[in-house]
Structure formats: structure tokens, C-alpha cells
Amino acid sequence: MNKIILQTKAFYIQDFLNVKETWRKSYLIAIVLLLIENIQLVSIYTSDIIEFEYDQFLIHIRSVIDFCRLYTIFGNSILIRSIFVIFGFVLQIIFLILILYSLLNIRILIQKKQQLKFLTLEQSGESNNSSRHLLNWIVSFYIQINIKMLHIPFLFCGISLLTEIFESQSLNSLEYVGLIFSILLITQQILIGLFIHLHQFEYRMKSYDFLGKFQTQKMNFLQGFQLLIILLSGIQLQSLVIQIFGVINQLIRIIYSYNQQIYVDYRISRYNFQITTFCLIYQLILLLCQYGQPQLKISVVLLLLIFYPVIYFIANELILKQDLKNANFKNTHLEKQIRRLYIIFKEQVDLKKQQRLMDPKQSLEIYTFISTHLRECKLQRDRKVQKNIKLKYKCFCTDFFKDDDTFQSLEQMKQFAKELIGQTLEDEIIENQDINLMLIYIYFLVQIKKVPTQAIYEVIRLSMMQKEQTLKQQAIIRKLKHDALDKFSELVRKNDLVNQKFVFKKVYQYEESLNVLKNNLQTIVKQEKDFYACILTQVIDIDQIVNIGFKLLDNIKVLEKQLQLLYKTNPQSNECDTIYNIFHKYIHYNKLRPKLYRRDGQMMLQFLQSSEKIIYDPGSCVIQITLLQPRGNVIRYTRTFQKAIGYQDEEIQDQNINRFMPQIIANDHDLYLDNFVERGRINVVRNAVRVILGKTKSQFVVPINTRLRLEASTTEFGATALITPVNFTYGYMMLNEQGQIEELTKNLFDDVFEKYLGVELECVKGLDCLIFMPELAKIWDSLFNEHFEKLDIRLECHLILPQLCKQISKSLQSSRTTVLSKSLLQQNIIRSLENQPQENVIFQVSLHLMSLTTINLRLVILEMPEYKQVQNQKVTSRQLIQLRYRSSQLLNFSTQNDVITQKVDLLASANDLQLQKEISECDLEYENVIEELKMVGDLRNQLAQINMINSAHNQKSSKRLIQNSENYFEDRIIELRHNINISEKSNDLSDSESEFKQRIQEQNLQYNSGSVGSRSSQNNTTALKRQMKDCLSDNRGLNIQTKLFLLSIYILVILGYFVNYLILYFEFESINQDQNYENLPFQFSYFYNEFVITQSFINEDNFQFKKLSEVTLDFFVDHIKDIDQTITRLPHINMINNLTMKSRMIIILSQLSKVQRMNEEIFYLDFVNNTDQFNIQLNLIKNAQSITQSNDLGIYVLIEEIVLILFLTRYIYLCLKIIQMKTKIYKLFCTFSKEVIQEQFLQFSSLYNQLNNTKFKNHETDEEQFETTMMRQYQKTVTSNMLDKHNKVGKQISFKQTNSAQIFFFLFIFIYAFMCSFYFIGSYILQKETLSNVYARYNEKTQFEITNNYLSLSYAQQAILLNQTIQKDGIDRQNITVEILKSLTTNLSQYQQSSNSEIYDILSSSICQLLFNSYQYSYLEYANLFNFEQCQSYPNLEKGLILVVQELYSNQFEFLQLLQINNQSNYSFQEFLKNSQSQVQRLYAQYGFHVIVEMLTNTIKTIVTSTLVINSIMLGFASIIMSCALLITIKTILKVKDQYKQSKQLLTLFPFDRLMENAYVVSFISQDLHFSV
């Protein structure tokens, strides 16, 4: 969880703003989004206003406005809004998943407790997000679209849907779904919308978001007020209240837009002002039309035509007034002023490019701004001139206006605008220290002024100033850093800085990593010592040993990777090689060092062929300075730099770099750095290699080759130099423009000047070198021409020196400390050269003249590859003449200047500049131009002429480094290739194969020289050692038996799932199909009875009896083809009285057709025969209860559970077997001898003390010296009393009987069994519950069908009896039918509402409302005979179906009583029959029964269908769970086995030789080889 929190913070700070700004909307898209947002708000405000019948134009406008809510395009129903809510929720989830994916890809390094430290080289990498550009683009697009286009529709739709659902009394499944997703969407959108709103700020000056806002409290208030209005509109508050709040919100937005307080772009604010104004007028017109008096309700079209042009004119006037107000910059906010000015400047420049007329208002603003600055600047300058105050800096504006106060070019106008805006921001920041302005200023430097170096400096300084920063501030600053670094990278690519391809800081990172590596090595040795100390106790604590041992194994692997990384970085490092050997000799002793990481390996060859060898040269050094404040201070350096200059660490660290330069160069170095940081001048860095002179602690200079590289990152800003010494045998001197010596090397001073002049170094500096070199003096003046910067001259000349050491008197020695010492020394030298030419010393010198230019000086560097003293040679006459001429010039110059110093040179150069141009102020801009002109080709051509020879300070490698390095590298490569070719092919083999070859060779050697017994013993030892390695490096996975067992169990369980599924599927599918045909026998019976009844009322006109007769006959014709399907499902009803059902129906159809066609009466016997067959058939259906005859899943579930238990038993056995073997490993610690453990303990104790040695920590490690001191340390440790506390190996072990892993294991077993049994038991329960529910509905349906059938049968029997002679048999039949109808009517009245509320409403409420408004019978020919109006004409039908059936039963009961009283009274029967009203009521009642039966049939189908769906979902879910369970099972077994393997790895902490001496270990090895899982 802690890692997730850290990743979230890291993503927010590092990547969120970059992701957010990936997609940049255009200006047109921004206006469209702004328009849509305002129209959506208007749609929300006016959603409850009533429609106006007389104003169609308004309706069309409102339709267009409502369409902006997006979902209203498809409608406004609950279904549409529910779908839109679900769509919004899914969209938000996808957005959050994309964010989460980016978040989890953030790589962070967490330093855990008691873990090895990370190397500096490991921490230098940063994540690359370029591969996720498409993902970032999608997230950015959604963020920017959400707040403007989706925020209002999502919230309003969710809240309004939630309100309507809460107001409804009963909820269906769709409404439940809508309720849940509405709550989720509202919560999501409020949180996401609030987060996006808080990140709408904009600090960029260019390429900014056009809809970016000022981050003020006013914006937060406006967003909260808008959210309140959406909430009130959604909960359908009173319309007038919402309208008032809407008007207030629009007025606030108008005021803010007018004052440009919302959007950073004033043009967007202007558009927002106009759009909001028009929306407000539209809203007010709607209010007037709704709540005004009738006489005020004029046409809305007229109102639009009248008011909108007026409003448009007023809005333009207000905008014009605002523009005039903005021209007075003193009263405006500076940020708004700067942004507005930048946009106006840009527009004016574009107009000028297009040669179009400029906008007069914008020109006025520009003129006001510029004139204000010029006026204040002139007043300030005049004020300081009057007070005789010298200006330190010259204002930039003086460079633009000379004679004519106009811009000379378009580029000049752009440059002036940049400088003016930048200086305005700087002045305001200095005065107020506004953080927001500082951020804007940094973006101004990056995007407009294009000085990324200064931007990097400012943003890092800002991050250091703000100690406690919020996450938001950290994210903004991080984004600023990255933008500045991107521009800096563009600057590097543009100028083609060749040294940027090297990473010089890797050198000191390498040194730091070596120190970390030593500390990690010491940590591991300490853990090894503690590991063996735990064994030397009375009772061995296994938990402690395992804890230390596992950490130790992990740390050894980590240390090995770190060693490989360092060796790969610099294979020629002796120190890394020594540490690698120590690691494999004392710690990783059971494994040989890989050949790839040896000195004769392939990696060394690749390194020598790569360019990396340049920066890791042993004679090179690296130093890094900071470009922050204090600028130029040394922050990092390598040890070789300290050795080269002779300073101590405290004299180098945090000291300015100019301390290690010649003074004449150091004076201008700070100005170099300032020019680079503040103006981006990179002239010096353009050179690949520069030859400069560094100064040592002894004040001598050393020639060095320097490669400069700029270091810019989010945490540092500086420059790194790779310094390579030039040949120390050469002599170097630095001469100023007057020919005076400024600096020289120590060898030249010792061999020449001190030896023959006998003076100190300070006296040599300032001497005129041309006196000593007449040939150089002759051409000296010609050197300083326009080609001076390309100076590259080789010259042979003489160096002539007087021998003053014999002539200097004591008085001259004492005057050396005076100011005139150099002048006197110079005069003495001149006199000696003229007066005593025979005493002079002459050197033959080969000169190489090179130039070096600084900002204010021109210097000449004299390189002397060779200077030899010439014996017996005198000064020639020409040399003497040149000497006298030079001395006369020098003496004349000395009379004008009492003392010649370096300051005099600087003043002279300054006077020369004053002759060229009068400068009353310090013109840094002019100086920078001079610098650029002088430093373009600085020493570029001199590099090729210098012989580069490596440093000789490293004694061990001096022989191969002082000579020609390139030839050495070529020889070394040839040698390595030769060694590789003649060696074994082991470089292409693995380490194990190489070791195997070596063992075979040793065995062959011993076999050839030893006896038979020794050879056998050696073979056994080798075989045992190989077995031990195979055992401890066990890489075997699960064996084939275990895999097949797991696969077979998985297949069996999945097959069990499918068996259960198929049983349920076919069973319920059969029930579903049965519902289509099981009702057919009841329907045949009913329509037969109905046909019989209809024949008695065929001529009645109060109902369509004739049509009913035709419908009944058509039913037989249409459905007689379905009898086969019915018989297939109900075979027991097929044969009755030796006739099949189809035969019977065909006979009945022929009888009915004959009656219909011939207009005959139905015969009594035919009727009785047919009704008896129908009754027998229906009784068979009722008694059969075919729906309960289903397969029982109980036996299948039992078998499947047994299979599952067998699987779990095998699984537990495997895991317990592994745990048992792991326990055996722990018991092996008690079997080692005391001497073995004490020896290892003493060795690591000695090694730990040796690693603590200061010499090992702070100096380069020498392997031979380390081994020598290690032996002494071991002897010292043996003689100490350290073993008094550790004198016995424990013979007992103790560890926790139960641990978290075991608890988790058994908990997993329980959860696994439960989840795998989920479908078995669930399908069984599902079958029972579904069958119970279906059976209940089936019984209800059968009951209603029987009631309906007997109701029609009673009236059919009545019709037969009345139309024919009444017989005793007919009366008995009627009596039986009426009795059955009585019981059915009683049962009907007992129907409960809990069974089915809809059916209960039909039985107890108005039949007509329910049958004709909510339901309809599927047999349309029959249903069309009934209508709602006729139904309402019968009052009894309004009382419910139960009361109607009771009345119909009463009629039949009365009819039966009349028959029983007098069965011969035909007249009374005919009168009773004439009442056809009861027949109509009966028909509507029976129509209700048909609807109820169909409802129950559909209910059964719905139950079956939903059961099948649930069963399919359960199957898929169970299959997924089982598949996951299988993977988890394999993972768990592998985890337990890995723990066992890891426990075996503890034995690798012992040497293999000691393990082979232990019989218990050998026995365990043999057991392990036969143990497999």
C-alpha cells in the first residue's frame, strides 16, 4: 500500500501535467466548447419552463438547446437516461483505468531496511513516456472535454434520474440499475470534475490552453455555485427558484468576463461575455413569457428581433470601454496586462508580416506601454546623472533607439517586446516576490525569450526557495523543469555540442558506486558472521537463521549484479577487479567468476573498442561545478583531480573553480558563467577539446586537455569537465599582449629561470619574455592582427638568459619584497644581457605559438616541446641589436609606468577600448558581443598539433599510459583477440560448462598420474560434488505426474460443471418448450364447448356470436398441426378409447364443420362422447404432473464432491511432503562439526575487520596487499577470545510450529474447496428452487385452465339440454359439473395477493381496465371480439373476476334446481335461455381466464429463461474460478517448492568441500535427488 501511495505521488508530480497537456485544442475548438457549456447551463435553467402552444419558434430553439445535453438527442425517457448514465460510468471507469495504468508504470526505488544500498549508477535513469503517447493523448482529450462538454450532462442526468426513481413507488430491474449507476456516476463526476477544475490553471505564455483560467477563489466560488444550480435543477426544485439562481449565475459570469477574471486569454473572455449576455436575455424572455401578464405576452420572435440587436450594440460598447480602460496599465493586474500585451504584440507582428493595417486600439495600448517604460527609464537615468551616480547596468531600450525613435525591422520590434515584457516581470517579481508571476516569468524565458539556461536556473532556485511545497506546486515546478530541459535539449541539438554525447559524471558516479559497493560488501560479510554465530549456540534458532540466510542470499545476488554493472561500466578498473576477486574468493566461493567478467574476457575487448574508454582513462579526471548560486563552486570531483592539483578535499569542495585557474583567466570566469546562464551564450562549450592551463597548489600551471559538457536535470544545473593532462615534459608559458610572463610550468621554472636567474616564481611573473627571445620579439607585433584567434605558428629560436645568481647582491635579495622588485630585476636582466654577453646561457627552443582570448584580453601560449642548452655559443650581432631595441622600448615604457603589473595591462586594454568608443556606462551587452566574436574558434586548430601523452602519475600503468595511447589500445586489442582465438571455446559456453571442462581436465590429470584407488576416490568425489550442485541449484519445475494429475482433476471438475449445466439446460429448455403446447388440450376443450354454446345464440346481436363460432372452428383448423408436438411432450394423453388425440380432433372438426356448414344441431351422444374424452384427457394431464418428473442432480453433486476431496487430499499431501523435506534441511545445521563452523566464523570476522580498515575504504584496493593484511588479521582473530562465546554447535533446533504461511495454506484449502463446490451445490439449489417455483406457477395455471374449462362445459351442457329432450343422464352430468364448478369457485376466492399481484388485481378489481389497458391475449382473432366499451357496459365486470364467476355459478345452480324440480317444464327453460346478457359476461370472464393462463405461461417461461441465464453465468463464473484456482494451486505448490529450494540454498553458504565431509548432508542429497513434486 505504501508503494501505491508513493507511485501516486510520483505520477502526480512527474507526469500528470505532461499527460494533461498532451492534446492542445485549437482556438476555434475552444470557442465551440465555450458555447456548448453556456448553452448546457441555459438548458438546465430552463428545463422546467412550460411549453408555449402559440410560439413554435421558441419550441424549435429549446429543442436545439436541449440537444446540447447530448442524451436528449435520443429522448428523455428513463431508459435513455439510464443508458446514458451507464455510458458515463463506463467512460469514467475507462478514464480511471488509463490513469491507473500510467500510475502503476511509474518506477520508484524503495530502500528497505537492512537492504543493500543502491549504486549511484542505478539511480541515474529516468522513465520514458514516449511509448505511451497515444494513451496520454486519450487521457488529455478526455480531461479537457469532460469539464466543458460532459460535466453538466452527466451530473444533471444522474441527479434527475435519481430523483424520479426515488419518487416512484415500485422499482423494476432497469430502475434499480439506473439507481445504482446514477449514484456511482454522480460521485465520480463530482470528484473528477472538482479535480479537473482545480487543474485548469495556466502559466504558459505560449502554446497555452485557450480555456485556461486564473487560479483564484472567485473561480472556485463560481464552480461551486454552478454545481449547486445543477443539483437544484436535478431534484426538480421550484422552477422560479432555479430561474433566479440561474440569472444570478449568469450575471456573475458576465461581470467576471467583462473584467477578464476567468480566462487567461482576453479574447476568450470577450467571447464568453457576449455569449453569456445573449443567454441571459433569452432566459429573461422565457421568464417574461411564463410569469408575465397576458397583455405582456407578445411574440418571442418580436422580442428577439427587438432586444438582441440592442444588446449586441451595448455589449460592443462595453468591450470598447474595457479596452480603453486596459490601456491604463497602472490600474490593471500585471498578469492580465502581460498576457494581453503578448497577444497584441503577436497580432500586430502578424499584421505587419502580411503588410496590413494595424488595429488602432491595439496600437494605442502598445504605444502606451512602450512610452510609459521609456519615460520612466529616461527620468531614472537623468536623476542618476544629476546626482553623479554611475549606472551599473544599461537599460536594454537604449540599444533599440538611436537617432530615430522607430523600429528598424520586424525582428527588432519582436526583440524589443520580449525584452520589455521580461524586464516588467523582473521588476514586479523583485518588488512583490509573487510565486505565480515567477512561474509565468520562467515560462516566458523558455517559450518566448528562449533562454532555457536562465529558466533552468530560475526554476531550480524557486524549488529550493520554497521549502514546504504542496503536491500541486511540486507538479507545476516539475513541469517547468521539463519544459526548460526540453528547450535546452533543442539548444544542444541546434549547436551540435559534441561532448553532450558523453556522460562525464558517470566517472565520479562510478567512484561513488565503488564506495557504496565496499559498504555493501561489508554488510554481507557482517551477515555471514552473524549467520555462523547463530549456529554456534546451544539451541539453534531456525527462524533467526532463515531470516539472516534468506537476506544474505538475496544480498549476494544483488551484490553480484552490482559488481557486474560496475565491471561492465569500466572493465579496466583495478579496484573493481580486486573487489570482484575478493567477492568470489571469500563470499561466493562455490561459484567461479564468469569469464565474460574477467580481464581477458570479451567485455574488456568491447570496452577498449568503444568511446567510453576516453572518460575512464586512468590519467583523466572529472570535475563538476554548479551554475546555481554560489555559481562556479565545485560540487563533485574525482580523486585523480585532487592528486593532479595537490589540494586537500576541504580546499576543493564548495570552492570556486577559478581558484584552480591562472589569475588572469580567473578574473573573467564568473562573467563567462553569467553570460551562459543569463543569455544562453555557449561559445566555449562548442569546442570538442580545449587546451587550457590549470593552476596547482604550488602556483604553477599544468597544461590540460578539457572537454566541457553541460549538466541539466530536474535536480541540478552545472557543467562537467573531463580533464586529460598533456605531456608533463613540455614547457609552457603564458604571455600577455605586452609579452610579459603571466604563468609558466614548474619544469620550465626549475630548469631555466630559477637555475640561472635565481629568483622566485612571483618575480618571474611579469618579466618581459621578449627580452629572452629576440626572434620572437621580432615577429611579436605582427601576431596581433585579425587572424590572432587562429594563431598556430611553429618557430625555432633561442632563449637567452643572464646568470644572475652569481651577481645578485644581498641588497637586491632584501629588496625582492618591495614593490619595485620586478622593475629592478628587469633592469638588472637587461644590463646583464648587454654588458656581459659572454656570461649568458643560451637554449635552443622549439616554439609552438597558440592564442587564447578572454573577454578583455588576448594571450599567447608558448609550448616548448624541447629546450636544450647550447654550449659554447655566443649571442649574435642580430640578436644583440634586437635585444637593445626591445630593451629601449621596455625602458621607455617603464618610465611612464613605475610598476608593471597585471592591473596595468587591464587598464591599458580598457583605455584602448575607450579610444574606440566612449562608454559612460558598463555595457555588458557590448562585452558579450566581443566575447562571441573572440571565442568562436578558440584553440580549435591547436588541438591537432599537441601530442597527447597520458599521465605518468600512476606508477603501475605509467609504461602503457605515457606512450602513445592509441597504439597501445590497438596492440591490446590484437593481443586479446589472439588470446581468445587460441583459448578454449569456453567463452561461448556457459559458466557451468566451463567448470565442467576444468573438472574433466583435473580428473584426467589425476587419472594419468594416480593409482586406481585414488582415481576411484576422485571420481566419487567429483560425482558427489556434481550431485550436490545439481541439488542446490534445483531448477526443476513440477514433474509430469503432478502436472497430469492437476490437469486431469481440472478437466474432471470442468466436465462436472458442463454435465450439471447440460442437465439443467435440457431440463428447463424442455419445460420452456412444453409451455407452448401443454395448453393445447385445454384450449381444444374450451373452444369445443364455446362452439356448442354459440350455436344457441347465433342470432343474438349483443355480441359477435357468429364471429365467435367461426373463430372457434378456425382454432381447430389452425392448431390441429400442433397435436404431434403436444403428444411428444404428453404421450400419456394420446390414446383414449382406442383413438389417438389427432384422430379425435379430426372427428370433432368434421362434426363442427358439418354443424357450421349444414346448420344442424349437435347430437347429444356426440357431445357426451366428446366431452368425456376431453375430461379424461384433462384429468390425465392434471394427475400426471409431468413438470415434476425431472432428473435429480444430487447423485452427480455427490460424485463431483468426492472427486474434489480426492484432489484436495493429493494437494495437501504434496505440500506436506515438501514441508517435511524443508524441515530436514533445518536439522542439518546441527550436524556440522564445531571446527568447521568456527573456522568459517573466524574467517568472516577477520574479513569484516579487514573491510573496516580505513585504507580499504578510502584508497584504491591492492589485492596482494589485501591478502597479506588479511592473513595477519586472521592470526590476530584466532588468538583473541572471540570463540569463548561461540564454542559449541547446537544439537537442538527451535522454530515456530505454526506460521502465517501455514495458516494461509489451510485457509486457502478451505476457500478453494468452497469456491470449487460453488457451482455443484449452487446448480443443485438452483434446480430445486426453480422447479419449486415453476411447479407452483404450473399448478396455478392448471387450476385456472380447469376452472375456465368447467365454466364453459356447464354452459355447453346447459345449451345441449335446452335444445334437446332432457334426460336423467344429462341432469346427472350437469349436477356433477356444477359441483366441480362450485369447488373451483371456492378455490378461486382463496387466491392470495402474495402469489401474483397482477393476477390478484384481475380477480378482485375491475376486469376491463386491466385486460384492455395492460394486457392482451396472444390469439388475436379471439381477442379482437372483445372491446373496452362493451366491457364497461356490464357493471358486474367492475367487481372482479371472482364475483363474476360466482354469479355464473349461481346461474348454473339455479338452472340445475329447475331441472331437478320439473324436468318437463320446457317453457320456463326457454325463457331462461333467452337471457343472453349472462353469456356476454361469461365470455368476458373466460377471456380473463385466458389472459391469466397466458400470463402464468409467460411467467414460467421467464423463470426458466432467467434460470438458464443464471446457470450460464454461474457456469462461466465457476469455470473462471476453477481456472484461477488451478493457477493458484500451481502457484501455491511452486511457492512452497520455491521456499524449499530457497531453504536448500542456505546450504550454499557453506563451502562445498565442507558439505561433502558431512554424511548427513550427503544422505539428504541422495534423498532429494529421488524426491520430486
Side-chain angles (χ1 to χ4, degrees), residues 1391-1417:
Y1391 191 85
Q1392 301 294 325
Q1393 184 178 6
S1394 59
S1395 299
N1396 193 316
S1397 59
E1398 297 175 346
I1399 296 176
Y1400 181 80
D1401 292 338
I1402 297 175
L1403 294 175
S1404 60
S1405 302
S1406 174
I1407 299 176
C1408 302
Q1409 292 288 343
L1410 295 172
L1411 293 184
F1412 294 97
N1413 293 337
S1414 301
Y1415 313 104
Q1416 188 177 11
Y1417 189 44

Side-chain angles (χ1 to χ4, degrees), residues 1093-1300:
I1093 298 169
T1094 305
Q1095 299 305 313
S1096 300
F1097 300 93
I1098 198 72
N1099 296 322
E1100 297 293 330
D1101 57 355
N1102 55 353
F1103 192 81
Q1104 304 178 42
F1105 289 104
K1106 186 175 182 179
K1107 181 67 175 175
L1108 178 60
S1109 176
E1110 296 174 357
V1111 169
T1112 55
L1113 189 61
D1114 292 339
F1115 183 84
F1116 277 88
V1117 175
D1118 295 338
H1119 292 84
I1120 200 169
K1121 64 181 182 298
D1122 297 332
I1123 292 176
D1124 294 336
Q1125 295 289 343
T1126 304
I1127 295 304
T1128 303
R1129 288 162 175 77
L1130 303 172
H1132 56 282
I1133 67 172
N1134 187 22
M1135 297 298 296
I1136 297 177
N1137 297 332
N1138 296 325
L1139 291 175
T1140 63
M1141 181 179 176
K1142 194 168 188 178
S1143 301
R1144 294 195 307 272
M1145 293 304 106
I1146 292 174
I1147 294 172
I1148 292 173
L1149 179 60
S1150 62
Q1151 294 174 359
L1152 297 181
S1153 299
K1154 184 178 180 182
V1155 171
Q1156 180 77 14
R1157 185 175 63 255
M1158 306 299 293
N1159 198 16
E1160 296 180 356
E1161 294 182 355
I1162 299 176
F1163 296 107
Y1164 178 77
L1165 292 177
D1166 293 338
F1167 174 77
V1168 170
N1169 187 31
N1170 292 335
T1171 53
D1172 286 345
Q1173 291 177 3
F1174 278 124
N1175 289 335
I1176 292 171
Q1177 194 177 47
L1178 299 182
N1179 288 330
L1180 289 174
I1181 294 175
K1182 178 181 178 182
N1183 296 328
Q1185 296 182 355
S1186 60
I1187 200 167
T1188 60
Q1189 299 175 3
S1190 59
N1191 296 319
D1192 190 4
L1193 286 178
I1195 185 65
Y1196 296 100
V1197 173
L1198 181 61
I1199 295 173
E1200 290 159 348
E1201 288 296 321
I1202 291 174
V1203 173
L1204 186 62
I1205 290 173
L1206 291 176
F1207 162 68
L1208 293 177
T1209 303
R1210 173 66 177 171
Y1211 171 68
I1212 294 172
Y1213 170 76
L1214 292 175
C1215 294
L1216 292 179
K1217 189 67 176 175
I1218 296 174
I1219 294 174
Q1220 182 181 4
M1221 289 294 292
K1222 186 168 67 172
T1223 306
K1224 289 183 179 180
I1225 297 175
Y1226 297 152
K1227 293 180 179 180
L1228 293 176
F1229 292 111
C1230 300
T1231 63
F1232 290 97
S1233 64
K1234 179 182 69 173
E1235 290 76 12
V1236 170
I1237 303 301
Q1238 284 182 345
E1239 180 185 356
Q1240 293 295 114
F1241 177 73
L1242 290 174
Q1243 180 176 345
F1244 284 108
S1245 299
S1246 304
L1247 182 60
Y1248 180 72
N1249 295 331
Q1250 178 67 15
L1251 295 179
N1252 270 330
N1253 192 350
T1254 306
K1255 190 173 183 180
F1256 176 81
K1257 289 183 176 180
N1258 300 331
H1259 299 86
E1260 184 173 349
T1261 306
D1262 182 82
E1263 187 172 0
E1264 296 180 0
Q1265 185 178 5
F1266 181 86
E1267 293 296 335
T1268 303
T1269 54
M1270 178 64 189
M1271 294 177 61
R1272 297 173 185 170
Q1273 187 67 44
Y1274 183 78
Q1275 296 296 332
K1276 182 179 179 182
T1277 306
V1278 169
T1279 57
S1280 65
N1281 58 355
M1282 184 178 295
L1283 294 178
D1284 294 344
K1285 298 180 180 180
H1286 308 285
N1287 55 5
K1288 184 178 181 182
V1289 176
K1291 298 303 178 183
Q1292 295 181 355
I1293 62 173
S1294 65
F1295 59 92
K1296 295 179 181 179
Q1297 298 296 327
T1298 59
N1299 51 31
S1300 58

Side-chain angles (χ1 to χ4, degrees), residues 25 29-31 33-34 148 200 209-213 263 268:
K25 64 179 77 70
I29 293 177
I31 295 176
L33 292 177
L34 184 67
K148 290 296 180 183
Q200 285 187 288
D209 183 7
F210 291 106
L211 294 179
K213 296 181 178 180
Y263 299 101
I268 298 294

